[in-house]
Amino acid sequence: MTSFSPEVWKSATDVMLILKASGNTDLDALRMVVLYEADFNFMNKHIGREVVSNAIRKNQMAVEQFAKPRSSPINQCVARRVMFNISQFQKLLIVVCSSDLLSCYDQIVHSAASLAMQRFGIPQSWMKSMFSTIQLCRHKVRTGLGTSELTYGGIMEGKDPLMGVGQGNRAGPAIWSIISCVLFQIMHDKKLFSTFQSKFLDDLVELVGFMYVDDNDLICKGNQDTSDELVNKAQRILTS
């Protein structure tokens, strides 16, 4: 609660746990996991659970984000399949832009993540404790040949602090979910969503797309649009 970061938290070990693709040992194909101090990661897990609970309790968790309690990646796949079925039955044009962000946990900007988390009720002091630890943390790399004596990270002369939260941070998925909630709300405010009509409940469902952590499918459904008009709409959504 005081933003304190114990000195013991400011060291971590990067370990290759598994290969991303079986038999591929190329350097760019290795999956590195950051081993933080256990009690630091316990705090991260607590922060992640707290912020997601706040978002659900306030009904502010984006309907597009499937990385939340009582949901799973298969729910995203089913929803996408249903969307394709609807467009096929109604003979509607539809554009889907799919992306899987590269090294997503290493790309998180601390200032953006902190503001998003505070928006959902997390104290600023908690964010300072987490992100100051990450920025001051010095990393060693462990391989089959042993642990490196050289380190990276921490305060390096002439260099900005490292961003990201590290693969293995227990708050990582929650931070991604909360950032995406803010982004989806912005896109809803800009009317960059597609509308689907429920035939059973007469409800209108407004969707920008489908997302699980950082894997997302942005959608653009046409009504009376020509294919060129629909592609231009989809480009505006993608650009936003």
Side-chain angles (χ1 to χ4, degrees), residues 74-93:
I74 195 64
N75 297 130
Q76 177 191 4
C77 297
V78 171
R80 185 172 54 184
R81 178 70 261 177
V82 171
M83 178 200 67
F84 283 131
N85 289 344
I86 291 173
S87 64
Q88 184 178 17
F89 296 152
Q90 297 181 353
K91 295 181 171 59
L92 297 174
L93 292 171

Side-chain angles (χ1 to χ4, degrees), residues 64 187-189 191-195 206-208 219 237:
E64 291 88 352
M187 296 182 77
H188 276 276
D189 292 343
K191 309 297 183 185
L192 297 175
F193 53 77
S194 294
T195 302
E206 298 174 345
L207 288 174
V208 176
I219 58 176
I237 293 173

Side-chain angles (χ1 to χ4, degrees), residues 87-103:
S87 64
Q88 184 178 17
F89 296 152
Q90 297 181 353
K91 295 181 171 59
L92 297 174
L93 292 171
I94 193 163
V95 175
V96 178
C97 304
S98 299
S99 73
D100 179 4
L101 299 184
L102 181 67
S103 302

